[in-house]
Amino acid sequence: MDEFWLHPRLGTATRDGRAPRHYLVALQHAVHTIDADPRWQQWWHRSGIPECQLGIVTEGRDHLRPSADIRRVDGQLRANFTCALPPACSDTELMRRAVTEVRTMFEVIREAMALPDLPPDPVPALPPSGRDDLPVIEKALPSVPRELEEQGYLTLTQVQNFFG
């Protein structure tokens, strides 16, 4: 099973217009590590769906309400999630957080599709440094009511439409 079944799409919703490249690289690396792991390939094969397009939208550190949109479109699963930016930490800790974040997304997918338990996490190496070519969709957060301004989260509809 050498085929790629998992296709990440990365995005960021910010108020300051700066993409958190370091964390996005770690998330992409976590997704590619899972995609290449034979145990995860075998687990996904049981879904009966050839491919999963995993959209991940990072938001601010004060992200309070994660959103998820999971649907089957044109023979593939499209799953879009939001996640918070982690605090400043070492590269090893950043990678651990990225793997945990992606695993949590797949736990939601697993429950939604009534799939068996997830396989163990693969042990990823540190992500490559200097990845300025990482394709990221950047969108400014829409204006929100003043009382919600500090929360920095996208609504389900915004998540559904983030990647077009």
Side-chain angles (χ1 to χ4, degrees):
M1 285 190 173
D2 293 333
E3 62 196 56
F4 295 106
W5 60 273
L6 183 54
H7 308 281
R9 295 184 74 189
L10 302 171
T12 186
T14 64
R15 292 197 192 285
D16 62 8
R18 296 183 342 183
R21 294 269 175 199
H22 197 57
Y23 190 50
L24 291 167
V25 167
L27 286 166
Q28 182 186 49
H29 188 62
V31 169
H32 288 311
T33 301
I34 285 172
D35 185 42
D37 186 278
R39 296 169 298 179
W40 279 80
Q41 290 172 1
Q42 187 176 39
W43 173 82
W44 181 255
H45 184 70
R46 294 181 198 161
S47 74
I49 301 173
E51 297 179 344
C52 176
Q53 185 181 92
L54 183 65
I56 304 172
V57 180
T58 60
E59 297 188 85
R61 285 174 180 53
D62 53 359
H63 170 86
L64 298 178
R65 293 189 354 190
S67 299
D69 175 47
I70 302 169
R71 62 179 85 185
R72 193 171 179 164
V73 179
D74 298 329
Q76 70 174 215
L77 186 77
R78 288 191 188 165
N80 295 323
F81 291 88
T82 59
C83 69
L85 293 176
C89 57
S90 69
D91 287 348
T92 301
E93 176 63 14
L94 190 69
M95 196 64 233
R96 187 192 67 73
R97 288 176 181 260
V99 169
T100 299
E101 188 74 54
V102 173
R103 182 179 184 87
T104 300
M105 293 173 188
F106 272 101
E107 186 60 38
V108 173
I109 292 169
R110 183 197 72 75
E111 289 180 18
M113 296 178 64
L115 292 171
D117 289 343
L118 297 175
D121 292 339
V123 180
L126 290 177
S129 60
R131 290 290 314 267
D132 292 332
D133 62 338
L134 180 68
V136 175
I137 296 170
E138 297 179 38
K139 293 186 179 181
L141 281 173
S143 61
V144 294
R146 188 171 188 79
E147 64 273 10
L148 298 179
E149 197 169 87
E150 294 302 312
Q151 293 182 8
Y153 64 86
L154 295 174
T155 66
L156 179 57
T157 301
Q158 290 164 332
V159 171
Q160 289 170 340
N161 297 326
F162 195 90
F163 295 107

